[in-house]
Amino acid sequence: TGLTQIYSFPTTGTTLVYTPHIDIDAKGERIIWCDWVGEGEIFTSNSDGSVQNKIITLLPNPNPILADMKPNIKSPPRLTADGGEVYFIHNHPDTYADGIWSVRTNGTNLKQVFNFVELAKKAFDNDLSDLTEAWSGYIDKFDISANADKIYVGTQFFKIRNGDIDRGNLSVYANGTYYRLG
């Protein structure tokens, strides 16, 4: 009983048949979703499907002379436990645009938390001079703690030891400091 349709792709996503990314807050009151191949927009609603909002459609380009960017979200966005903020990876060929972004679930306070260049320099002491791949998705996966004071980031681009490039690495961003976990 109580089956409720929260969203449908024809009204809030691509019309192609792709699985959406979904997350829900700790109390089960707020839901976020976006399709992983389409527009890259993030939607939010109450868990009963009411009060649906599109909270992002464009991101400010880190280079102020360039146009705003459409979000490219290949990994599931994460919702804080209280349902107040959404964190997501924007995959982009520009290493200054590729990174972790956040936005309040009411659509305000959109900002880049950190970019791939900062992660490379501060967690891996890497100036990116040995990075030859020219495709988006430098940060592969991530997760957040309940209040997002810690952001866990996975990437495959740094060598901790010679020959490690294919195994991937895990880093933590905590209160403005980067830690390399392995």
Side-chain angles (χ1 to χ4, degrees):
T1 65
L3 180 64
T4 303
Q5 182 177 10
I6 305 297
Y7 67 92
S8 68
F9 275 135
T11 58
T12 63
T14 181
T15 56
L16 301 173
V17 181
Y18 291 106
T19 304
H21 295 309
I22 302 168
D23 201 9
I24 190 166
D25 72 6
K27 291 183 180 179
E29 296 173 351
R30 180 168 306 277
I31 295 173
I32 60 166
W33 70 92
C34 73
D35 62 47
W36 63 274
V37 84
E39 298 300 315
E41 301 154 327
I42 297 177
F43 297 86
T44 181
S45 79
N46 294 332
S47 60
D48 64 1
S50 64
V51 192
Q52 290 189 6
N53 291 309
K54 186 186 309 185
I55 60 172
I56 63 165
T57 56
L58 291 173
L59 302 175
N61 198 306
N63 184 338
I65 64 170
L66 297 177
D68 289 345
M69 308 170 289
K70 286 193 115 180
N72 185 353
I73 303 169
K74 294 179 182 175
S75 294
R78 303 297 296 157
L79 187 59
T80 54
D82 68 2
E85 285 185 287
V86 178
Y87 286 76
F88 60 96
I89 299 173
H90 169 59
N91 296 120
H92 198 273
D94 179 347
T95 54
Y96 287 94
D98 187 273
I100 304 293
W101 293 69
S102 70
V103 63
R104 303 268 322 141
T105 51
N106 64 9
T108 63
N109 201 28
L110 174 64
K111 64 183 177 187
Q112 187 178 42
V113 179
F114 63 85
N115 62 42
F116 183 73
V117 174
E118 292 170 26
L119 176 68
K121 289 179 180 177
K122 294 180 181 175
F124 294 94
D125 299 322
N126 189 311
D127 64 4
L128 302 181
S129 61
D130 62 347
L131 185 65
T132 58
E133 287 79 8
W135 56 278
S136 66
Y138 298 109
I139 297 175
D140 301 309
K141 303 287 185 223
F142 85 113
D143 204 351
I144 62 172
S145 61
N147 64 359
D149 64 339
K150 294 180 184 72
I151 301 173
Y152 302 88
V153 177
T155 184
Q156 298 183 48
F157 286 95
F158 303 111
K159 294 180 183 181
I160 294 175
R161 293 184 306 268
N162 199 15
D164 276 355
I165 195 71
D166 293 327
R167 289 193 281 191
N169 299 288
L170 179 64
S171 305
V172 176
Y173 175 79
N175 301 318
T177 303
Y178 297 84
Y179 301 95
R180 181 173 55 204
L181 293 183

